[in-house]
Amino acid sequence: MAMQEPATRPANPRFSSGPCAKIPTFELSKLSDAALGRSHRAAVGKAKLKAAIEGTREVLGIPADYKIGIVPASDTGAVEMALWSLLGARGVEMLAWESFGSGWVTDVVKQLKLDAIAKTADYGELPDLASVDFANDVVFTWNGTTSGVRVPNGDWIAEDREGLTICDATSAAFAQDLPWDKLDVTTFSWQKVLGGEAAHGMLILSPRAVERLESYTPPWPLPKIFRLTKAGKLIEGIFTGATINTPSMLAVEDYLVALDWARSVGGLKGMMARANANTKAVADFVELHDWIDFLAHDPATLSNTSVCLKFTDDRITDGAAFAKSVAKRLEDAGVAYDIGAYRDAPAGLRIWCGGTVETSDVAALMPWVEAAFNAEINA
């Protein structure tokens, strides 16, 4: 059946959950000040990298005694550096409720071969946070990018913990309020909430994490790209802009531009408000239609960035095929790109609602979702 097209279209159809939509004011000309063709170790390169680090601290409100480093291989690289460099000193608990968290469980159990306690939950739910033993190191994602489920706050994390908390916050940073006093290692990547370019990760260390690095040597060999210490001391240069390997100065400039834009919309509070407004536009639609629902079971755990939806109509016999067909109709119409559910997640749609997306575009998209659903259910 042909789709009955709504009158209004999203001005920007980019709702991918990574790489995510660029800032609304983005133009290539804004990158004209990039230190192209210059060494990242020259004064100009060091200044740009330091500005990226300190701009991150300013906008996110990261404490002055926390270390912030730009590291290789996006959020994945940052998480792996933390796991390989810090774990093994005490027991480990792994919390997972979607594919990326499950990936960290695999790395710790099968690659590092640690006897970790894995606490898991199905898509749409959280593990039992009250049962976590903070005498252990605890590894978790703050926001489940592929499930649309986040931890509601940091109240469940013990203030007097003995172990470290290692938090993959890649789809939460700049959209959710991260309690830095509860987080010892935090990672994210530029291509998520700020819509930056990929390949660079951010590694944020509390004083407790630094103390672990300087007092503990893991029993396995560490490749150069993971090494954060030398002769038992933190390599301070990594956290002032002397990166382990050569960064893209074009991507660095793009991140600096995105940070400036974040400041212009009110910093962290403004970015959170934008993401919340986008998610509300989806929630308002879901409330009015009984054939679609959030994958998250508890509204308190609903992500305000990677919003995951499922079709609930009893007439659907093949959920995966149906969802793919709806996503294809929307892409073919040029109103929504890359909004199919993640490959390991339950069938459905995933709409990125981070702060670089305009609420008017989310609101314009939802009638198209209804039109695509009606066309497909009646096909």
Side-chain angles (χ1 to χ4, degrees), residues 126-154:
L126 283 175
D128 180 10
L129 301 180
S131 70
V132 176
D133 182 358
F134 287 97
N136 299 318
D137 293 331
V138 179
V139 181
F140 67 101
T141 56
W142 190 272
N143 184 88
T145 310
T146 65
S147 69
V149 173
R150 62 175 173 179
V151 294
N153 50 53

Side-chain angles (χ1 to χ4, degrees), residues 40 43-57 68 70 202 237-243 249 252 255-256 259 263:
H40 60 298
V44 63
K46 287 181 178 178
K48 296 279 189 183
L49 291 161
K50 186 174 182 180
I53 289 171
E54 293 310 317
T56 301
R57 187 186 308 280
I68 305 172
I70 299 170
M202 300 298 282
I238 295 173
F239 303 94
T240 60
T243 54
M249 297 311 296
V252 170
Y255 183 57
L256 291 174
L259 283 170
R263 294 183 184 99

Side-chain angles (χ1 to χ4, degrees), residues 57-114:
R57 187 186 308 280
E58 173 202 344
V59 175
L60 291 181
I62 300 171
D65 59 349
Y66 278 49
K67 305 290 186 180
I68 305 172
I70 299 170
V71 300
S74 194
D75 177 66
T76 301
V79 174
E80 295 287 11
M81 289 177 79
L83 300 182
W84 285 72
S85 299
L86 292 164
L87 294 186
R90 58 174 60 237
V92 182
E93 291 195 24
M94 309 289 299
L95 309 182
W97 58 92
E98 49 94 48
S99 58
F100 290 107
S102 297
W104 306 141
V105 174
T106 298
D107 284 358
V108 169
V109 173
K110 294 189 176 181
Q111 303 303 321
L112 294 179
K113 302 186 184 306
L114 294 175

Side-chain angles (χ1 to χ4, degrees), residues 18 63 67 69 76 84 98 122-124 126 147 161 181 185-186 190 237 244 250 257 295 305 325-326 341 359:
K67 305 290 186 180
T76 301
W84 285 72
E98 49 94 48
D122 292 335
Y123 278 84
L126 283 175
S147 69
R161 61 191 177 277
D181 61 321
V185 180
T186 309
W190 297 347
I244 294 173
L250 189 63
V257 169
L295 192 56
T305 56
S325 295
V326 169
T359 303

